[in-house]
Amino acid sequence: MQNKLCFGVIGNPIAHSKSPHIHNLWFKEFNLNYDYKAYLEDTLSLQNRILSLKGANITVPFKEEVLQYADICSDEVKIIKAANTIVNDNGIIKAYNTDFYGFIKALQNYDFKRVLLLGVGGAARACAYALMKNNIDFTVFNRSKKEDFICKVENELYEFNFDVVVNCTSSSLTGQLPCSIELLNKLKAKAKIVYDLFYAKSVFLEYFENAIKIDGKLMLLYQAALAAEYFYNIKISDELVKKSEKIIF
């Protein structure tokens, strides 16, 4: 019998991840003898885990750190400087980013002009890349300055007229807000859409009572769909994405 190809998602924390449910569902859909698991790792064990798998999704806090183990980086990874998808091609590690694709696909049915991104981590970089690629005006806010990523801190943000406000931080993992209450109150008046990349309960989304709320479910599924093309060379249709959302969530 042919050995199963093994894939996984690597992060810390990782128990909340829905990625194993998504990919194992698609393995059944396409009758693939593959396996996908969640792996809780730390900095010391990260490289060995990557090398043990045929492919891996990378989540918090390793999206930037993982680049040191990549032999080949895709064009978008070179710009974003973060990867969420790794393919082990006979020991050659190839790094990709599918977050940018998932982020913008989840917004495809909405009309908007100006976006505020909260955070400067790997996810925020992917969102910024997606917005630049689609010629959408955006601003990045963070609690503190970042040397290699242009952003504004609170005393530099004078305008609050944003159609979309996106929480790109991991604050929702711990039930916290990504910025001050004062800033959120200024953003509430104009924000039509609020978007949290996290896909469970979000105090950030709840704070905007009157805005359209988007969580990270579709982004997760669409980034997984593109990762699936890299992992096992199968195109995941929009119809299967929507069907999977109903099954998994």
Side-chain angles (χ1 to χ4, degrees), residues 138-161:
F138 71 96
T139 298
V140 180
F141 169 85
N142 197 50
R143 293 180 187 269
S144 58
K145 285 289 190 181
K146 184 85 169 175
E147 285 186 8
D148 60 344
F149 193 35
I150 297 173
C151 64
K152 294 185 177 182
V153 292
E154 195 148 347
N155 63 359
E156 297 174 334
L157 198 60
Y158 305 114
E159 186 182 358
F160 307 96
N161 186 23

Side-chain angles (χ1 to χ4, degrees), residues 106-144:
L107 284 169
Q108 63 186 341
N109 295 321
Y110 298 95
D111 183 32
F112 58 93
K113 294 180 179 178
R114 301 189 70 232
V115 178
L116 179 66
L117 301 178
L118 304 176
V120 293
R125 293 167 185 265
C127 295
Y129 175 79
L131 294 169
M132 283 190 293
K133 196 175 175 67
N134 287 274
N135 297 312
I136 297 169
D137 182 38
F138 71 96
T139 298
V140 180
F141 169 85
N142 197 50
R143 293 180 187 269
S144 58

